[in-house]
């Protein structure tokens, strides 16, 4: 068994043989930022101060050759080789925050709802212990026996006493797992979830107005974060802007209306890119935000969607004065072959 030492806090954790640094940290309850868990995004990049490790297969865009020479590594793929591995990680960040993930937790499918022609919503109840998670985190779902490799999907609801977990899964025609979900899963089926994972867990109870921006199934973690904030009585203005191609691609509209009616500080502003509709914005969110806001310097911003959408939104909100430290992002990655890197979670196949 190897030891992972956090510098400068001096805290130490155990790492089982064959485990990644990220996996060991999460089991010990530490919230090292991460996203794709496959060496593709670079979110878990830290500097290794001492010790040897096997980096595994990662993409150069996530960890450059120059960064490797400087001692940086991606902890989602790194496996310690020496008895002790010392990583540079701030004392504040090293405070225990996350619930340790558990593998192969059994859930029963109690409801399935077609939210749009391409998005299916699953309602899953735990057979055993309730999964503890933070709003904004995700789980993995799949069944290798059915030819559906485990893929990552954001949880679309805040934690509930009965432990029900809601997933919103986009059908991807060349995606084995999403087709298995859409075509084969039926009510009463028992599936296995592993998790929770991820650190898109910014607290919406901060003392500032909040703007949430989402496209596609990126709406899922935004829903969980918003539900949790409104449930605990957050009073500052909360605006959720959602981008869809047509009105048929909008979903959760009933919940949005309920939140607007119940919580006077909440507002929902959908925008359509391929058709015009009375009472709705028209155009991609990065191009229409300035029709709603002129100054975002005091806002906390939460953005979820594909990388291009996230990047464009970040640029747009910064143009309106949003501060770097108040921008929280969650992007998903397209599927790649296993020998490079599998996909991330918001729209996996």
């Amino acid at each position: 068994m190897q030891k992972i030492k956090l510098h400068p806090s001096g805290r130490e954790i155990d790492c089982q043989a064959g485990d990644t640094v990220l996996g060991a940290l999460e089991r010990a309850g530490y919230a090292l930022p991460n996203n794709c868990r496959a060496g593709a995004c670079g979110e878990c990049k830290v500097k290794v101060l001492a010790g040897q490790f096997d980096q595994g297969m990662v993409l150069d865009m996530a960890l450059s050759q120059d960064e490797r020479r400087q001692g940086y590594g991606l902890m989602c793929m790194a496996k310690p080789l020496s008895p002790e591995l010392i990583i540079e990680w701030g004392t504040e960040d090293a405070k225990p925050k996350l619930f340790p993930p558990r593998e192969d937790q059994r859930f029963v499918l109690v409801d399935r709802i077609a939210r749009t022609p391409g998005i299916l919503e699953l309602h899953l109840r735990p057979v055993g212990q309730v999964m503890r998670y933070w709003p904004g985190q995700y789980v993995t779902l799949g069944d290798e026996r059915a030819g559906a490799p485990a893929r990552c999907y954001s949880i679309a609801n805040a934690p509930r006493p009965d432990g029900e977990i809601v997933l919103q899964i986009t059908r991807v025609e060349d995606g084995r797992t999403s087709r298995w979900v859409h075509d084969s899963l039926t009510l009463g089926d028992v599936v296995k979830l592993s998790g929770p994972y991820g650190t898109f867990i910014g607290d919406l109870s901060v003392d500032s107005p909040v703007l949430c921006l989402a496209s596609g199934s990126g709406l899922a973690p935004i829903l969980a974060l918003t539900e949790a904030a409104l449930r605990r009585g957050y009073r500052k203005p909360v605006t959720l802007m959602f981008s869809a191609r047509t009105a048929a691609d909008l979903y959760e509209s009933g919940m949005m209306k309920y939140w607007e009616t119940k919580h006077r500080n909440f507002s929902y502003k959908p925008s359509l890119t391929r058709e015009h509709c009375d009472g709705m914005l028209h155009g991609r969110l990065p191009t229409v935000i300035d029709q709603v806001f002129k100054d975002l310097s005091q806002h906390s911003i939460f953005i979820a969607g594909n990388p291009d959408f996230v990047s464009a939104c970040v640029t747009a909100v910064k143009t309106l004065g949003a501060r770097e430290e108040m921008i929280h992002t969650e992007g998903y990655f397209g599927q790649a072959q296993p020998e490079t890197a599998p996909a991330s979670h918001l729209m996996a196949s």
Side-chain angles (χ1 to χ4, degrees):
M1 180 182 295
Q2 287 95 359
K3 293 280 187 181
I4 299 173
K5 188 172 184 178
L6 312 181
H7 177 81
S9 69
R11 294 192 174 105
E12 293 184 352
I13 65 169
D14 294 328
C15 184
Q16 302 290 337
D19 203 359
T20 65
V21 175
L22 175 61
L25 287 169
E26 289 181 330
R27 266 184 279 283
Y30 293 101
L32 177 67
N34 68 90
N35 189 348
C36 74
R37 307 180 72 83
C41 72
E43 286 290 319
C44 63
K45 186 186 305 175
V46 300
K47 189 169 188 177
V48 178
L49 301 177
Q52 289 77 46
F53 63 99
D54 177 5
Q55 179 57 89
M57 183 68 70
V58 301
L59 300 184
D60 283 343
M61 68 178 185
L63 183 68
S64 69
Q65 294 300 318
D66 185 54
E67 288 172 326
R68 297 178 201 224
R69 287 190 289 270
Q70 295 177 47
Y72 287 93
L74 301 186
M75 298 301 100
C76 69
M77 301 293 284
K79 296 181 179 179
L81 297 175
S82 55
E84 182 179 77
L85 195 69
I86 302 176
I87 64 174
E88 189 173 61
W89 195 25
T91 303
E92 189 68 23
D93 289 336
K95 290 182 178 179
K97 299 176 183 178
L98 293 180
F99 300 114
R102 294 183 292 123
E103 295 183 355
D104 296 334
Q105 301 167 71
R106 296 170 70 227
F107 283 73
V108 175
L109 179 60
V110 297
D111 201 2
R112 48 178 287 153
I113 304 169
R115 289 299 185 187
T116 74
I119 296 179
L120 179 67
E121 182 173 283
L122 305 182
H123 290 244
L124 300 156
R125 292 279 182 92
V127 174
Q129 184 179 351
V130 168
M131 182 189 292
R132 302 179 68 198
Y133 65 92
W134 292 105
Q137 291 192 289
Y138 63 94
V139 296
T140 63
L141 167 68
D143 187 344
E144 292 288 354
R145 296 170 302 176
R151 291 290 183 252
C152 307
Y153 300 101
S154 290
I155 302 172
N157 62 297
R160 300 175 184 174
D162 62 7
E164 181 173 296
I165 282 179
V166 177
L167 304 179
Q168 295 171 340
I169 298 178
T170 300
R171 183 184 184 94
V172 181
E173 286 308 320
D174 60 352
R176 290 176 290 167
T177 303
S178 70
R179 286 190 285 109
W180 166 71
V181 168
H182 279 251
D183 299 338
S184 301
L185 280 188
T186 60
L187 297 182
D189 282 352
V190 177
V191 300
K192 293 180 179 179
L193 302 182
S194 296
Y197 304 113
T199 52
F200 187 56
I201 53 178
D203 188 352
L204 288 183
S205 65
V206 293
D207 188 26
S208 70
V210 171
L211 171 61
C212 297
L213 305 172
S215 68
S217 51
L219 183 60
I222 295 296
L223 288 174
L225 287 164
T226 305
E227 179 188 350
L230 296 176
R231 183 191 295 173
R232 62 177 170 256
Y234 184 69
R235 298 303 179 189
K236 292 286 186 176
V238 177
T239 304
L240 195 164
M241 300 182 71
F242 179 51
S243 177
R245 290 174 296 182
T246 68
D249 296 311
L250 294 175
Y251 65 104
E252 296 290 1
S253 298
M255 181 60 72
M256 298 299 105
K257 185 60 179 178
Y258 170 75
W259 283 347
E260 284 187 315
T261 303
K262 183 176 176 63
H263 305 281
R264 299 182 65 181
N265 62 318
F266 175 77
S267 61
Y268 173 58
K269 298 187 181 299
S271 183
L272 305 180
T273 59
R274 295 190 181 179
E275 67 181 26
H276 292 267
C277 188
D278 290 343
M280 295 185 189
L281 297 166
H282 176 73
R284 299 178 64 249
L285 283 191
T287 67
V288 301
I289 296 173
D290 61 1
Q291 296 179 29
V292 181
F293 297 96
K294 301 304 179 185
D295 181 5
L296 291 173
S297 60
Q298 303 303 312
H299 280 68
S300 292
I301 315 290
F302 294 84
I303 309 171
N306 67 61
D308 290 340
F309 171 82
V310 171
S311 177
C313 284
V314 168
T315 299
V317 298
K318 284 184 176 180
T319 300
L320 295 172
R323 290 178 282 167
E324 184 79 39
E325 67 273 17
M326 296 179 72
I327 301 174
H328 311 274
T329 64
E330 182 77 313
Y332 55 74
F333 295 79
Q335 292 294 328
Q337 296 303 313
E339 60 266 27
T340 55
S344 181
H345 58 289
L346 292 184
M347 191 186 289
S349 69

